[in-house]
Amino acid sequence: MNGITMKQLFNGIYRDRKVLITGHTGFKGSWLSLLLKELGAEVFGYALEPPTHPSLFKEANLDELVTSKIADIRELAVLQDFLQKVEPEIVIHMAAQPLVRESYKTPVETYAVNVMGTVNLLEACRNVTAVKAIVNVTTDKCYENKEWHWGYRENEPMGGYDPYSNSKGCSELVTSAYRNSYFNPKSYENHGVAIATARAGNVIGGGDWADDRLIPDFIRAISNGEKLMIRSPYAIRPWQHVLEPLAGYLKLAEKLFTEGSKFAQAWNLGPDDTDARNVEWITATICNLWGEDASFAIDKNPQPHEANYLKLDCSKAKSELDWYPKWNIYETLEKIVTWNKDFIAGKDIRKVTINQINEYFNS
């Protein structure tokens, strides 16, 4: 950090600042809550109970650090009331149904949470004068995926094959409509609100226990003394440690807050091309790092459709936000193995997570 403290990062913009996170009880939301507390922010959260057991939110006792409202993003009146009481200055929207395979099972819920949840959040923000910056977190899967071997840029068309991916494309369109209709950059002086979307890659890290995700599936298998069964071994994904996009969201929110309408647009926050590896490579590498005879096999049963090849072009974020990935995929997997072995050993997981946050910003 070149001699500066955590609270001085991002030009000190988060110190004593009211920040609202939706989806703060989830995997990414828990990491972001801890990171914002390290930056000196006053953190508020709106979400359902943690979606997994165990959960990082519970294991790190984050209810001691965050002012939480446990409620559904689909309940507009409850959400509006909470925002009006809190009066946040910066809002980061991450509440979502985040799983592709789950979206095949529950498409109505997926669209209700991911689309109408976005509508509700933006409508609630529209009636709170304290709000100055909003980041809506979507996904790399929001694009109309043509299985190209080059990265998608922010101006590519929205699409999405499955209900999850499509619902996130819809969330992008909702954000665009609200930006044009209520938070238009051309009339920024009148409303003072800047809103952007952020599209990350396949986010991985310690503290993720979700179903149907490669790393959590590996941890469950190794804990049960089983061989990990992988699907789509040759599918290539833009893997990145959870701290990479979180740093990007915070850099983006800082720019929205301090410079406003110039940054009110869509942003890709994915890894470098060299870190877009296939599922088999990721699995073999993490098995080797873990040791203890960890192994895997390929599940040959028919699977629901998932994209085979997906990359992001992040040149805009690099040139205009000065945001760059720090940890390559091998370092990322090393951090994940260390985090999970510390968890299994019963170490203080809040301290373990904060240590990795400090390692990231010192790298």
Side-chain angles (χ1 to χ4, degrees):
M1 289 186 281
N2 298 319
I4 66 173
T5 67
M6 284 292 296
K7 291 181 181 179
Q8 292 172 312
L9 290 173
F10 304 102
N11 293 308
I13 197 69
Y14 294 102
R15 187 167 45 200
D16 300 323
R17 189 81 59 196
K18 286 185 176 182
V19 182
L20 171 70
I21 308 168
T22 69
H24 69 295
T25 59
F27 159 57
K28 287 172 68 177
S30 295
W31 274 90
L32 182 56
S33 297
L34 268 177
L35 172 53
L36 280 166
K37 291 301 293 184
E38 289 297 293
L39 296 173
E42 187 178 357
V43 183
F44 298 85
Y46 185 101
L48 297 174
E49 292 284 354
T52 63
H53 180 75
S55 74
L56 179 54
F57 186 81
K58 295 289 189 184
E59 297 296 331
N61 296 312
L62 290 179
D63 54 347
E64 298 174 354
L65 304 179
V66 179
T67 301
S68 293
K69 177 67 176 179
I70 302 300
D72 198 314
I73 197 72
R74 292 170 290 185
E75 298 180 36
L76 175 58
V78 177
L79 180 61
Q80 285 179 320
D81 181 67
F82 185 65
L83 262 71
Q84 286 167 3
K85 289 178 179 176
V86 170
E87 295 190 319
E89 298 165 272
I90 296 171
V91 176
I92 301 176
H93 177 45
M94 296 199 296
Q97 192 298 95
L99 301 173
V100 170
R101 284 159 66 91
E102 178 62 26
S103 77
Y104 280 110
K105 301 173 188 174
T106 59
V108 174
E109 179 180 356
T110 298
Y111 280 102
V113 172
N114 294 353
V115 183
M116 288 309 300
T118 301
V119 172
N120 289 346
L121 186 277
L122 297 181
E123 186 65 13
C125 288
R126 190 162 72 91
N127 295 299
V128 178
T129 57
V131 174
K132 301 301 177 189
I134 307 168
V135 176
N136 178 21
V137 174
T138 62
T139 177
D140 58 336
K141 298 175 182 64
C142 67
Y143 292 103
E144 181 183 344
N145 190 0
K146 299 179 181 179
E147 305 282 349
W148 285 332
H149 286 264
W150 54 87
Y152 289 90
R153 295 169 296 179
E154 287 86 348
N155 60 355
E156 307 280 2
M158 296 294 95
Y161 183 101
D162 56 88
Y164 165 73
S165 305
N166 186 268
S167 71
K168 284 297 194 174
C170 292
S171 179
E172 287 275 352
L173 295 175
V174 166
T175 306
S176 178
Y178 263 77
R179 181 166 48 227
N180 291 336
S181 302
Y182 307 111
F183 309 121
N184 197 301
K186 294 179 180 179
S187 57
Y188 176 75
E189 294 78 9
N190 297 329
H191 55 74
V193 181
I195 178 172
T197 57
R199 304 158 183 175
N202 270 45
V203 177
I204 55 179
D208 186 4
W209 284 284
D211 292 331
D212 288 326
R213 281 184 177 158
L214 181 59
I215 304 301
D217 286 348
F218 170 82
I219 299 302
R220 276 188 287 271
I222 202 71
S223 298
N224 295 328
E226 299 171 352
K227 181 179 292 189
L228 173 64
M229 301 299 294
I230 63 170
R231 59 184 188 271
S232 306
Y234 307 115
I236 295 173
R237 298 284 185 270
W239 312 94
Q240 59 188 152
H241 192 276
V242 61
L243 287 170
E244 302 283 10
L246 295 188
Y249 304 157
L250 294 180
K251 172 68 78 170
L252 176 55
E254 174 204 337
K255 293 292 188 181
L256 293 170
F257 189 86
T258 58
E259 300 189 41
S261 58
K262 177 182 176 182
F263 294 90
Q265 49 191 286
W267 301 86
N268 287 339
L269 299 169
D272 290 329
D273 285 355
T274 52
D275 290 326
R277 301 293 189 125
N278 69 37
V279 169
E280 186 173 34
W281 186 94
I282 295 291
T283 310
T285 302
I286 199 168
C287 283
N288 183 59
L289 286 168
W290 191 277
E292 302 174 26
D293 297 322
S295 61
F296 70 96
I298 297 171
D299 184 350
K300 297 183 179 180
N301 292 320
Q303 304 290 338
H305 176 275
E306 294 188 59
N308 186 59
Y309 197 88
L310 186 59
K311 285 201 304 182
L312 295 174
D313 181 335
C314 302
S315 55
K316 187 173 82 166
K318 292 176 180 178
S319 63
E320 297 184 34
L321 290 178
D322 194 30
W323 171 87
Y324 295 86
K326 289 190 173 188
W327 286 345
N328 64 36
I329 185 58
Y330 193 83
E331 290 174 295
T332 292
L333 293 176
E334 284 183 317
K335 300 297 184 186
I336 291 170
V337 167
T338 298
W339 194 101
N340 279 285
K341 288 200 169 188
D342 284 347
F343 175 76
I344 291 170
K347 293 186 179 180
D348 183 329
I349 213 60
R350 184 194 290 181
K351 289 183 179 178
V352 169
T353 307
I354 290 172
N355 285 342
Q356 288 204 346
I357 288 171
N358 280 278
E359 288 171 6
Y360 176 83
F361 285 100
N362 276 304
S363 61

